[in-house]
Amino acid sequence: MTIPHPADAPEPRTPQIAPGTAELLEGMSEEQAALTLGLGVLVQRAAETEYILYGLYAHLGGVERPYTDKPSVPVSHFIDKAKARLATIPEDRVPPQARSALLHDLDLCTASFEERNRYIHSCWVYDHEVYGWRTVKGTKGLNRPEIGLVSSEDVWELAGEFARLRDKLIAWDARFFGEPGDPELGVPPASSKRL
């Protein structure tokens, strides 16, 4: 194989950055940049997990297309209803041990989405005295705000938890409602969910 002359190599493409973005990033501290990037990754991982939850919910209810069954209700609805639908699935289809583990993962999803809501809907102010972020968020049914102290690392940990939950939910969906794959050929199980 011959190596092409550097002049013949393709030019690297510069990522498209929206106008005004540089001005927003200019002057950010390292901690602010870590938090901002972490919140973006958190939103992305949570959305991926939510997408898989919609599919799992649809499969548990025998719905052919996930987003046609109550598409505008909050993710907590899908988690609660998925649990109820799981209870109606025969044990020969979802054995008790797997059912228990899936319910545990759905509970972890509930807790993670509640934490995500606190992060996404909070006002963040860095406190130099404690080297952490003070968060303030309104809460339903209370006449006082919810106040917290977190670090940008907490946001990254939650993003990692969502990635882990996403992968577990994909595995559950593929195992019970997908195509089995062929381990001898290295083909993993795959979900059969259609949009």
Side-chain angles (χ1 to χ4, degrees):
M1 178 175 140
T2 58
I3 298 175
H5 187 272
D8 296 332
E11 284 290 317
R13 295 182 63 195
T14 306
Q16 298 296 318
I17 299 176
T21 303
E23 291 81 14
L24 291 173
L25 298 174
E26 190 175 318
M28 269 192 184
S29 70
E30 188 176 314
E31 181 63 25
Q32 287 171 315
L35 174 70
T36 302
L37 183 58
L39 286 171
V41 172
L42 170 61
V43 168
Q44 182 180 359
R45 296 297 175 261
E48 292 165 353
T49 304
E50 185 173 338
Y51 171 75
I52 301 304
L53 277 168
Y54 283 131
L56 188 60
Y57 167 77
H59 280 149
L60 287 167
V63 177
E64 184 177 341
R65 298 190 188 277
Y67 289 97
T68 61
D69 189 10
K70 301 189 188 259
S72 61
V73 296
V75 70
S76 58
H77 167 84
F78 287 97
I79 295 171
D80 292 341
K81 296 300 179 186
K83 290 177 183 179
R85 286 179 173 182
L86 182 59
T88 67
I89 303 290
E91 285 188 1
D92 63 331
R93 186 148 178 222
V94 179
Q97 186 174 359
R99 183 182 311 264
S100 176
L102 177 53
L103 284 170
H104 175 73
D105 288 341
L106 291 172
D107 287 339
L108 291 175
C109 285
T110 298
S112 294
F113 276 102
E114 287 173 1
E115 192 172 355
R116 181 219 52 171
N117 288 345
R118 280 194 293 281
Y119 288 170
I120 299 303
H121 300 291
S122 287
C123 174
W124 294 75
V125 178
Y126 191 73
D127 186 334
H128 294 279
E129 291 181 15
V130 294
Y131 302 104
W133 292 93
R134 298 275 181 197
T135 60
V136 178
K137 179 188 170 302
T139 52
K140 289 182 181 179
L142 296 176
N143 58 0
R144 59 179 168 66
E146 178 182 295
I147 299 172
L149 177 66
V150 295
S151 73
S152 60
E153 285 135 11
D154 296 334
V155 174
W156 283 98
E157 286 175 15
L158 184 57
E161 175 66 2
F162 270 112
R164 190 186 72 73
L165 287 169
R166 175 204 59 210
D167 292 346
K168 288 189 83 174
L169 292 173
I170 289 171
W172 286 120
D173 192 50
R175 178 176 173 190
F176 295 115
F177 306 105
E179 299 168 10
D182 190 342
E184 291 178 10
L185 296 175
V187 178
S191 173
S192 61
K193 177 168 40 86
R194 297 183 310 165
L195 288 179

